[in-house]
Amino acid sequence: MTEPTSSDLPPAPEVAREVFGERLADASRYAELLAEVGVKRGLIGPREVPRLWERHLLNCAVLSEVVPEGVTVCDVGSGAGLPGIPLALVRPDLRITLLEPLLRRTTFLQEAVELLGLDHVSVVRGRAEEVLGSLPPVHVVTARAVAPLDRLAGWGVPLLRPYGEMLALKGDTAEEELKAARAALQKLGVVESSVLRVGKGLVEQPATVVRAEVGESPGGVRFAAKRAKAARTGRSRGVRRRR
Ligand SMILES: C[S@@+](CC[C@H](N)C(=O)[O-])C[C@H]1O[C@@H](n2cnc3c(N)ncnc32)[C@H](O)[C@@H]1O
């Protein structure tokens, strides 16, 4: 059996017009970039090409339904830009940071951001647990396929502002992961958590999202102290802004 190639990228489905509106041409450009450059550089598997629209672009863009108006967002472990770039295409009101430790991925992200003219998006190279104190705290952390929920929360929740929220795209394991992570979430200052289905009745593959909302001390007391210290001394490791 031969591997799919970029020519196996299907045309945008009808629903993409509804989801991406006037940014549909840019969404198609991003899909082509993933199918060609993304596959060539090993950022996305060739088998994903035929399902790029349904499983990746649309499934990520519908996250928009649960992101509040005009907030700051950090997409932790953005990889080739998922969910951050589809979200940015449909939500020019947000300010989005794509956080990713690997250079070849941040290089791709920067190219995509420039190609698509996403002026409200910046790319930062670093690991979530190492940028604390050097990135301004955000209202919303997003993540997909980065780590099990309890570990992801340990990285993502401390990046939040008080009363912010983490939105983790999780698929079928969402309920189970949330149950297993409840105690860890509580320690990190999460005051409310739930599993949401977004994009239902709109896209073929709705997204299953764990939403974890923090109180006034995101990351818990230990992180509040660490962040305050990092802000005072201006010291933190592993951060490189790319724009
Ligand atoms: C499986 S990929 C998923 C990429 C993208 N979110 C997606 O859904 O296609 C996981 C990504 O998380 C990044 N990552 C792993 N550990 C991380 C950390 N501690 N902080 C930030 N990113 C991390 C990896 O470099 C990788 O790009």
Side-chain angles (χ1 to χ4, degrees), residues 43-44 56 60 75-83 99-102 105 126-129 143-147 155:
L43 306 181
I44 195 142
H56 298 280
C60 287
D75 186 28
V76 169
S78 198
L82 298 160
L99 178 65
E100 169 56 49
L102 296 186
R105 295 187 179 171
R127 304 185 70 80
E129 64 276 32
R144 188 184 81 155
V146 175
W155 297 339

Short mmCIF file of all heavy atoms in Angstrom, two decimals, residues 43-44 56 60 75-83 99-102 105 126-129 143-147 155, ligand 1:
data_model
loop_
_atom_site.label_atom_id
_atom_site.label_comp_id
_atom_site.label_asym_id
_atom_site.label_seq_id
_atom_site.Cartn_x
_atom_site.Cartn_y
_atom_site.Cartn_z
N LEU A 43 6.45 16.68 10.51
CA LEU A 43 5.67 17.31 11.58
C LEU A 43 4.28 16.71 11.68
O LEU A 43 3.59 16.86 12.68
CB LEU A 43 5.54 18.81 11.33
CG LEU A 43 6.84 19.58 11.13
CD1 LEU A 43 6.57 21.05 10.91
CD2 LEU A 43 7.73 19.40 12.35
N ILE A 44 3.89 16.06 10.62
CA ILE A 44 2.57 15.44 10.58
C ILE A 44 2.67 14.19 9.72
O ILE A 44 3.41 14.19 8.72
CB ILE A 44 1.50 16.46 10.07
CG1 ILE A 44 0.10 15.98 10.36
CG2 ILE A 44 1.64 16.81 8.60
CD1 ILE A 44 -0.82 17.10 10.76
N HIS A 56 -8.34 17.53 11.97
CA HIS A 56 -7.39 18.53 12.48
C HIS A 56 -7.95 19.95 12.40
O HIS A 56 -8.20 20.57 13.43
CB HIS A 56 -6.06 18.38 11.74
CG HIS A 56 -5.45 17.02 11.97
ND1 HIS A 56 -4.74 16.70 13.10
CD2 HIS A 56 -5.48 15.89 11.22
CE1 HIS A 56 -4.36 15.42 13.05
NE2 HIS A 56 -4.79 14.91 11.90
N CYS A 60 -10.24 21.41 15.51
CA CYS A 60 -9.56 22.41 16.35
C CYS A 60 -10.27 23.77 16.31
O CYS A 60 -10.37 24.46 17.33
CB CYS A 60 -8.11 22.59 15.90
SG CYS A 60 -7.06 21.19 16.34
N ASP A 75 -1.14 28.37 23.41
CA ASP A 75 -1.32 27.01 22.92
C ASP A 75 -0.06 26.23 23.26
O ASP A 75 0.98 26.38 22.62
CB ASP A 75 -1.58 27.02 21.41
CG ASP A 75 -1.92 25.64 20.88
OD1 ASP A 75 -2.45 24.82 21.65
OD2 ASP A 75 -1.65 25.37 19.69
N VAL A 76 -0.15 25.41 24.30
CA VAL A 76 1.02 24.68 24.81
C VAL A 76 1.28 23.44 23.95
O VAL A 76 0.37 22.67 23.67
CB VAL A 76 0.78 24.28 26.28
CG1 VAL A 76 1.83 23.29 26.75
CG2 VAL A 76 0.76 25.51 27.18
N GLY A 77 2.54 23.28 23.51
CA GLY A 77 2.89 22.11 22.68
C GLY A 77 2.19 22.18 21.34
O GLY A 77 1.61 21.20 20.87
N SER A 78 2.29 23.33 20.70
CA SER A 78 1.51 23.61 19.48
C SER A 78 1.89 22.71 18.30
O SER A 78 1.09 22.51 17.39
CB SER A 78 1.70 25.08 19.11
OG SER A 78 0.70 25.49 18.24
N GLY A 79 3.09 22.16 18.30
CA GLY A 79 3.50 21.25 17.22
C GLY A 79 3.51 21.97 15.88
O GLY A 79 4.26 22.91 15.66
N ALA A 80 2.64 21.53 14.97
CA ALA A 80 2.53 22.19 13.66
C ALA A 80 1.44 23.26 13.67
O ALA A 80 1.00 23.71 12.61
CB ALA A 80 2.26 21.15 12.59
N GLY A 81 0.96 23.63 14.89
CA GLY A 81 0.00 24.74 14.99
C GLY A 81 -1.41 24.33 15.38
O GLY A 81 -2.36 25.07 15.11
N LEU A 82 -1.54 23.18 16.04
CA LEU A 82 -2.88 22.67 16.37
C LEU A 82 -3.05 22.57 17.88
O LEU A 82 -2.20 21.97 18.54
CB LEU A 82 -3.06 21.29 15.72
CG LEU A 82 -2.99 21.34 14.18
CD1 LEU A 82 -2.68 19.96 13.60
CD2 LEU A 82 -4.30 21.87 13.61
N PRO A 83 -4.07 23.18 18.43
CA PRO A 83 -5.18 23.86 17.77
C PRO A 83 -4.97 25.36 17.49
O PRO A 83 -5.85 26.02 16.95
CB PRO A 83 -6.32 23.70 18.79
CG PRO A 83 -5.62 23.76 20.11
CD PRO A 83 -4.30 23.07 19.89
N LEU A 99 3.31 28.01 21.82
CA LEU A 99 4.48 27.63 22.62
C LEU A 99 4.91 26.23 22.24
O LEU A 99 4.12 25.27 22.30
CB LEU A 99 4.11 27.68 24.11
CG LEU A 99 5.19 27.28 25.09
CD1 LEU A 99 6.37 28.25 25.05
CD2 LEU A 99 4.63 27.21 26.51
N GLU A 100 6.17 26.11 21.88
CA GLU A 100 6.65 24.82 21.36
C GLU A 100 8.17 24.75 21.58
O GLU A 100 8.88 25.68 21.23
CB GLU A 100 6.29 24.74 19.85
CG GLU A 100 6.92 23.61 19.08
CD GLU A 100 6.66 22.22 19.64
OE1 GLU A 100 5.51 21.88 19.94
OE2 GLU A 100 7.65 21.47 19.81
N PRO A 101 8.66 23.65 22.16
CA PRO A 101 10.10 23.59 22.45
C PRO A 101 11.01 23.27 21.25
O PRO A 101 12.19 23.64 21.26
CB PRO A 101 10.22 22.49 23.51
CG PRO A 101 8.99 21.67 23.40
CD PRO A 101 7.93 22.53 22.78
N LEU A 102 10.49 22.58 20.24
CA LEU A 102 11.40 22.08 19.20
C LEU A 102 11.62 23.08 18.07
O LEU A 102 10.66 23.58 17.47
CB LEU A 102 10.86 20.77 18.62
CG LEU A 102 10.80 19.59 19.59
CD1 LEU A 102 10.39 18.31 18.86
CD2 LEU A 102 12.12 19.38 20.31
N ARG A 105 9.95 22.74 14.69
CA ARG A 105 8.51 23.04 14.75
C ARG A 105 8.26 24.55 14.86
O ARG A 105 7.36 25.08 14.21
CB ARG A 105 7.86 22.29 15.90
CG ARG A 105 7.94 20.79 15.64
CD ARG A 105 7.20 19.95 16.62
NE ARG A 105 7.37 18.57 16.18
CZ ARG A 105 7.02 17.52 16.84
NH1 ARG A 105 6.41 17.64 18.00
NH2 ARG A 105 7.22 16.31 16.38
N GLY A 126 10.03 27.12 23.70
CA GLY A 126 10.32 26.80 25.10
C GLY A 126 9.39 25.71 25.59
O GLY A 126 8.42 25.35 24.93
N ARG A 127 9.71 25.18 26.75
CA ARG A 127 8.86 24.19 27.41
C ARG A 127 7.97 24.91 28.40
O ARG A 127 8.44 25.85 29.07
CB ARG A 127 9.71 23.14 28.14
CG ARG A 127 10.72 22.43 27.25
CD ARG A 127 11.43 21.33 28.01
NE ARG A 127 10.53 20.23 28.28
CZ ARG A 127 10.22 19.29 27.38
NH1 ARG A 127 10.78 19.30 26.19
NH2 ARG A 127 9.38 18.33 27.69
N ALA A 128 6.73 24.47 28.51
CA ALA A 128 5.76 25.17 29.36
C ALA A 128 6.28 25.35 30.78
O ALA A 128 6.14 26.43 31.37
CB ALA A 128 4.44 24.40 29.38
N GLU A 129 6.91 24.32 31.32
CA GLU A 129 7.34 24.39 32.72
C GLU A 129 8.55 25.30 32.90
O GLU A 129 8.96 25.59 34.01
CB GLU A 129 7.60 22.99 33.29
CG GLU A 129 8.74 22.20 32.65
CD GLU A 129 8.34 21.46 31.38
OE1 GLU A 129 7.47 21.94 30.63
OE2 GLU A 129 8.94 20.40 31.11
N ALA A 143 -4.44 23.03 24.60
CA ALA A 143 -3.46 21.97 24.31
C ALA A 143 -4.16 20.79 23.69
O ALA A 143 -5.32 20.49 24.03
CB ALA A 143 -2.75 21.53 25.59
N ARG A 144 -3.45 20.14 22.76
CA ARG A 144 -3.96 18.90 22.19
C ARG A 144 -2.82 17.92 22.06
O ARG A 144 -1.76 18.27 21.53
CB ARG A 144 -4.59 19.16 20.80
CG ARG A 144 -5.32 17.94 20.25
CD ARG A 144 -5.84 18.18 18.86
NE ARG A 144 -4.79 18.01 17.86
CZ ARG A 144 -5.00 17.69 16.59
NH1 ARG A 144 -6.24 17.54 16.15
NH2 ARG A 144 -4.00 17.56 15.75
N ALA A 145 -3.03 16.70 22.53
CA ALA A 145 -2.08 15.60 22.36
C ALA A 145 -0.69 15.94 22.89
O ALA A 145 0.32 15.61 22.26
CB ALA A 145 -1.99 15.21 20.88
N VAL A 146 -0.62 16.59 24.04
CA VAL A 146 0.69 16.97 24.59
C VAL A 146 1.12 16.02 25.70
O VAL A 146 2.27 15.56 25.71
CB VAL A 146 0.67 18.44 25.07
CG1 VAL A 146 1.99 18.81 25.74
CG2 VAL A 146 0.40 19.38 23.90
N ALA A 147 0.22 15.71 26.63
CA ALA A 147 0.58 14.84 27.76
C ALA A 147 -0.71 14.42 28.46
O ALA A 147 -1.76 15.06 28.26
CB ALA A 147 1.49 15.59 28.73
N TRP A 155 1.95 21.63 33.84
CA TRP A 155 2.67 22.57 32.97
C TRP A 155 1.82 23.79 32.61
O TRP A 155 2.29 24.91 32.58
CB TRP A 155 3.06 21.89 31.66
CG TRP A 155 3.99 20.74 31.78
CD1 TRP A 155 4.83 20.46 32.83
CD2 TRP A 155 4.21 19.70 30.82
NE1 TRP A 155 5.54 19.32 32.58
CE2 TRP A 155 5.18 18.84 31.35
CE3 TRP A 155 3.67 19.42 29.57
CZ2 TRP A 155 5.63 17.71 30.67
CZ3 TRP A 155 4.12 18.30 28.88
CH2 TRP A 155 5.09 17.45 29.43
C1 LIG B 1 2.07 14.94 19.78
S1 LIG B 1 2.58 16.57 19.55
C2 LIG B 1 1.03 17.42 19.35
C3 LIG B 1 1.18 18.70 18.59
C4 LIG B 1 -0.13 19.46 18.37
N1 LIG B 1 -0.63 20.01 19.61
C5 LIG B 1 -1.16 18.60 17.68
O1 LIG B 1 -2.20 18.33 18.26
O2 LIG B 1 -0.92 18.18 16.53
C6 LIG B 1 3.11 17.11 21.18
C7 LIG B 1 3.84 18.43 21.15
O3 LIG B 1 4.05 18.87 22.49
C8 LIG B 1 5.35 19.41 22.58
N2 LIG B 1 5.76 19.34 24.00
C9 LIG B 1 6.16 18.25 24.69
N3 LIG B 1 6.46 18.58 25.96
C10 LIG B 1 6.22 19.90 26.09
C11 LIG B 1 6.37 20.84 27.17
N4 LIG B 1 6.81 20.46 28.35
N5 LIG B 1 6.04 22.13 26.94
C12 LIG B 1 5.60 22.53 25.72
N6 LIG B 1 5.46 21.69 24.67
C13 LIG B 1 5.77 20.39 24.84
C14 LIG B 1 6.18 18.55 21.65
O4 LIG B 1 7.38 19.18 21.23
C15 LIG B 1 5.21 18.33 20.50
O5 LIG B 1 5.32 19.31 19.50
#
